Amino acid sequence: MSETVLELDTVDSGYGEVQVLFELSMRLERDEILCLIGPNGAGKSTVLKTVFGMLTPWTGSVTYHGEEIGGMAPEDIVREGIGFVPQTDNVFGSLTIDENLRMGGVARDDDLKPVLSNLYDRFPLLDEKRSDKAQNLSGGQRQILALARALVMEPDVLLIDEPSAGLAPNTADDVFEDVQKVNDMGTAIMMVEQNAVKGLSISDRGCVLDQGAVRFEDRADALLDNQEVTELYLGG
């Protein structure tokens, strides 16, 4: 049986006095990838920011393993077991790869060596370049570093905002492959992706957002086969 690890229930949220999400409800199940797609301004990134405590929900609830987390500070949400990979400014360019990974574990009070060793095994590219400055990495390599850094806290849930943004197709494919590997290791993922077809192709389920509400929700393959979704949101 599936288990809901993260749930938003009739959430209103926004910036200042500007409302972006309207009675939005969705759930993330254990071990799955949920892809959020939709037009620009639909509220996709606002969902992630509301879950991660960067925005406080105006109404409704955000629960993690059944416990309310809406309005908690991001650093406390990280300690609860939720990681976040933002679209931009997601690595420290002046620090080495190893230093970036260690920064990802500042909230831990145990020995980081086995955690980092495991991450270097999982991401051989980072192992090869562990002494290089992050600013010297390619865009795809920086995305992989940001992904790995979020895993230092060993989260149950990972929020990822636009992992393929600005990347060449082949490089984006490498990043998506690493996202799948993270999921295969048991981390549930809620991912915003502008490349809707590619995002859905690696996901279990998808939600189509439009004007701050869920317009469609279904298995990812069913959304890809939905003619209305294709015409309105997938460029078909």
Side-chain angles (χ1 to χ4, degrees), residues 4-235:
T4 299
V5 292
L6 181 67
E7 185 169 15
L8 293 86
D9 183 21
T10 58
V11 168
D12 289 352
S13 185
Y15 305 84
E17 296 182 357
V18 179
Q19 185 170 353
V20 178
L21 303 182
F22 297 83
E23 296 187 349
L24 183 138
S25 296
M26 65 175 60
R27 72 189 191 284
L28 177 68
E29 305 292 341
R30 178 175 292 282
D31 297 336
E32 77 169 349
I33 300 178
L34 174 67
C35 186
L36 311 186
I37 66 172
N40 289 334
K44 305 181 297 295
S45 294
T46 303
V47 172
L48 301 189
K49 291 175 181 177
T50 301
V51 170
F52 197 62
M54 300 170 73
L55 296 171
T56 298
W58 298 359
T59 61
S61 65
V62 180
T63 55
Y64 172 64
H65 291 294
E67 298 293 326
E68 178 66 49
I69 61 169
M72 287 177 59
E75 57 268 27
D76 294 326
I77 288 176
V78 167
R79 292 187 180 93
E80 289 291 324
I82 299 176
F84 181 42
V85 182
Q87 178 181 345
T88 59
D89 300 324
N90 53 19
V91 299
F92 298 103
S94 62
L95 301 183
T96 66
I97 284 177
D98 194 69
E99 289 167 339
N100 266 275
L101 293 180
R102 291 180 182 279
M103 287 292 290
V106 293
R108 298 185 65 132
D109 56 7
D110 56 350
D111 186 4
L112 281 181
K113 287 182 181 179
V115 178
L116 296 182
S117 177
N118 179 53
L119 286 172
Y120 282 128
D121 287 342
R122 291 167 66 179
F123 299 96
L125 170 72
L126 301 183
D127 188 21
E128 295 169 8
K129 297 177 175 289
R130 65 170 71 186
S131 297
D132 290 3
K133 294 287 183 67
Q135 63 194 14
N136 296 327
L137 301 177
S138 69
Q141 291 168 345
R142 285 195 297 271
Q143 284 294 84
I144 292 170
L145 173 57
L147 185 66
R149 193 180 67 186
L151 296 175
V152 176
M153 292 297 294
E154 300 179 297
D156 287 336
V157 169
L158 191 58
L159 313 172
I160 309 177
D161 195 4
E162 300 277 11
S164 74
L167 301 182
N170 288 345
T171 304
D173 287 343
D174 292 340
V175 172
F176 281 128
E177 184 177 333
D178 281 318
V179 170
Q180 285 184 291
K181 289 178 181 178
V182 170
N183 178 246
D184 289 341
M185 297 295 290
T187 301
I189 293 172
M190 180 180 286
M191 174 178 67
V192 168
E193 180 49 52
Q194 196 63 36
N195 185 339
V197 173
K198 186 62 181 180
L200 289 172
S201 72
I202 68 164
S203 299
D204 300 288
R205 289 190 305 114
C207 284
V208 182
L209 272 64
D210 201 346
Q211 298 183 358
V214 176
R215 179 79 181 273
F216 297 92
E217 181 177 4
D218 208 335
R219 297 189 325 274
D221 59 350
L223 289 176
L224 287 169
D225 289 337
N226 184 310
Q227 188 61 33
E228 186 176 2
V229 171
T230 298
E231 292 175 355
L232 291 174
Y233 305 104
L234 304 185

